[in-house]
């Protein structure tokens, strides 16, 4: 006995085959769109590598706590502990209070006898002032940020916050210095442009004066030659056409000198 397949049964069979094919593809690790995007991301990372997350001073790897600091005019990437160690006079090493460029009054602070750090008098306690050592100087193995098991307690949080304030303060000063440098360069560029314009105007004035002087010399020589020629013509008219009278030697020499001067001017102009 033959059974007739309905459209519903045919669609169900096709959906089961599609599910089976998808499962087999997953078991064979066929690349999907997610893997393709991951490969693209890896290629972009190779072309544009992410900056190193290590400290530029102690080479410690602290992925989440690297600060950008301007130290001695140089931008550096430092961990929390190195930021605090390299800025001893910017905070209290006991309570991690940031001084913001204004340390406490000498009567309210204790200076370390080994470094330039200042500790609050109430934080230092009953200590002989002339021999006080701050915590980093007292213990060579001291660390401002001894992070263990990625757990941050209150003291570590205060140290991290203090380092962040120091980094922000130094970068603020860096921005001020950058603005001042940019303003100085703009002023220098404007002054150089003004001097260049004045030099061009002066050159144009000298050129125009030189041209006017040369033209005046040409006119004077031409007028002198015309006057000498007119004198010769007047003499010819006075002597007559067939007259072999005496020639004025001085006049001839004067005319020759004028012609030589004209030739010299032409050669200089050419």
């Amino acid at each position: 006995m033959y059974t007739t397949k309905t459209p519903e049964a045919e669609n169900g069979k096709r959906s089961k085959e599609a599910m089976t094919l998808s499962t087999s593809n997953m078991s064979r690790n066929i690349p999907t769109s997610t893997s393709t995007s991951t490969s693209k991301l890896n290629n972009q990372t190779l072309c544009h590598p992410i900056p190193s997350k290590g400290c530029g001073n102690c080479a410690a790897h602290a992925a989440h706590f690297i600060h950008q600091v301007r130290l001695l005019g140089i931008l550096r990437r430092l961990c929390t502990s190195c930021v605090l160690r390299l800025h001893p006079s910017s905070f209290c090493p006991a309570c991690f209070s940031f001084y913001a460029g204004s340390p406490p009054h000498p009567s309210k602070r204790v200076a370390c006898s080994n470094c330039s750090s200042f500790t609050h008098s109430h934080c230092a306690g009953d200590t002989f002032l002339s021999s006080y050592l701050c915590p980093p100087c007292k213990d060579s193995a001291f660390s401002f940020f001894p992070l263990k098991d990625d757990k941050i307690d209150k003291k570590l949080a205060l140290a991290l916050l203090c380092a962040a304030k120091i980094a922000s303060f130094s970068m603020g000063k860096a921005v001020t210095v950058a603005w001042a440098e940019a303003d100085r360069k703009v002023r220098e560029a404007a002054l150089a442009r003004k001097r260049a314009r004045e030099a061009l105007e002066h050159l144009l004035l000298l050129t125009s004066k030189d041209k006017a002087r040369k033209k005046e010399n040409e006119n004077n020589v031409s007028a002198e030659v015309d006057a000498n020629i007119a004198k010769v013509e007047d003499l010819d008219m006075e002597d007559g056409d067939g007259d072999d009278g005496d020639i004025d030697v001085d006049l001839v020499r004067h005319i020759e000198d004028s012609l030589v001067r004209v030739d010299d001017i032409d050669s200089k102009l050419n």
Side-chain angles (χ1 to χ4, degrees), residues 191-225:
L191 181 60
R193 183 178 180 181
K194 180 181 178 181
R195 289 177 177 175
R197 183 173 62 251
E198 291 176 351
L200 290 175
E201 292 176 353
H202 184 64
L203 178 61
L204 182 61
L205 179 62
L206 292 178
T207 304
S208 60
K209 286 184 177 180
D210 185 63
K211 289 182 178 179
R213 181 177 55 80
K214 289 181 179 179
K215 186 175 181 180
E216 184 179 359
N217 291 337
E218 290 178 1
N219 294 334
N220 292 336
V221 172
S222 298
E224 187 176 355
V225 172

Side-chain angles (χ1 to χ4, degrees), residues 156-177:
L156 293 181
L158 290 175
L160 179 61
L161 178 61
C162 182
K165 289 180 179 179
I166 292 174
S168 176
F169 187 74
S170 69
M171 293 304 294
K173 293 172 66 177
V175 170
T176 303
V177 171

Side-chain angles (χ1 to χ4, degrees), residues 228-268:
N228 292 330
I229 293 174
K231 289 180 180 180
V232 173
E233 291 178 352
D234 292 340
L235 290 174
D236 290 341
M237 293 179 65
E238 291 177 359
D239 294 340
D241 293 337
D243 191 4
D244 293 333
D246 296 332
I247 299 175
D248 191 349
V249 178
D250 293 334
L251 180 59
V252 172
R253 288 178 179 176
H254 187 67
I255 294 173
E256 289 178 351
D257 293 337
S258 300
L259 294 176
V260 170
R261 290 175 59 187
V262 172
D263 293 338
D264 291 338
I265 291 175
D266 291 338
S267 62
K268 289 181 180 180

Side-chain angles (χ1 to χ4, degrees), residues 51-262:
S52 174
K53 295 182 179 180
C55 176
N57 186 57
C58 66
H61 185 76
H64 303 291
F65 306 112
I66 293 293
H67 308 270
Q68 189 83 15
V69 182
R70 185 177 184 270
L71 184 63
L72 300 177
I74 302 174
L75 294 178
R76 303 183 63 183
R77 294 170 59 83
L78 304 175
C79 64
T80 300
S81 182
C82 288
V83 170
L84 298 177
R85 280 186 177 275
L86 296 175
H87 298 80
S89 60
S90 299
F91 68 102
C92 175
C95 66
F96 297 105
S97 294
F98 177 53
Y99 295 148
S102 300
H105 191 269
S107 62
K108 297 181 180 180
R109 72 190 186 195
V110 179
C112 178
S113 59
N114 190 42
C115 69
S116 59
S117 65
F118 299 115
T119 305
H120 291 126
S121 300
H122 60 273
C123 293
D126 297 332
T127 307
F128 188 58
L129 300 182
S130 61
S131 61
Y132 174 76
L133 292 176
C134 64
C137 295
K138 187 183 297 184
D139 183 8
S140 59
F142 177 82
S143 176
F144 283 108
F145 199 71
L147 184 63
K148 295 181 180 180
D149 300 329
D150 293 336
K151 294 181 180 179
I152 300 178
D153 56 11
K154 183 178 180 180
K155 186 176 180 180
L156 293 181
L158 290 175
L160 179 61
L161 178 61
C162 182
K165 289 180 179 179
I166 292 174
S168 176
F169 187 74
S170 69
M171 293 304 294
K173 293 172 66 177
V175 170
T176 303
V177 171
W179 274 110
E181 183 69 14
D183 184 68
R184 182 182 65 82
K185 290 184 177 180
V186 168
R187 292 178 183 274
E188 289 180 354
L191 181 60
R193 183 178 180 181
K194 180 181 178 181
R195 289 177 177 175
R197 183 173 62 251
E198 291 176 351
L200 290 175
E201 292 176 353
H202 184 64
L203 178 61
L204 182 61
L205 179 62
L206 292 178
T207 304
S208 60
K209 286 184 177 180
D210 185 63
K211 289 182 178 179
R213 181 177 55 80
K214 289 181 179 179
K215 186 175 181 180
E216 184 179 359
N217 291 337
E218 290 178 1
N219 294 334
N220 292 336
V221 172
S222 298
E224 187 176 355
V225 172
D226 293 339
N228 292 330
I229 293 174
K231 289 180 180 180
V232 173
E233 291 178 352
D234 292 340
L235 290 174
D236 290 341
M237 293 179 65
E238 291 177 359
D239 294 340
D241 293 337
D243 191 4
D244 293 333
D246 296 332
I247 299 175
D248 191 349
V249 178
D250 293 334
L251 180 59
V252 172
R253 288 178 179 176
H254 187 67
I255 294 173
E256 289 178 351
D257 293 337
S258 300
L259 294 176
V260 170
R261 290 175 59 187
V262 172

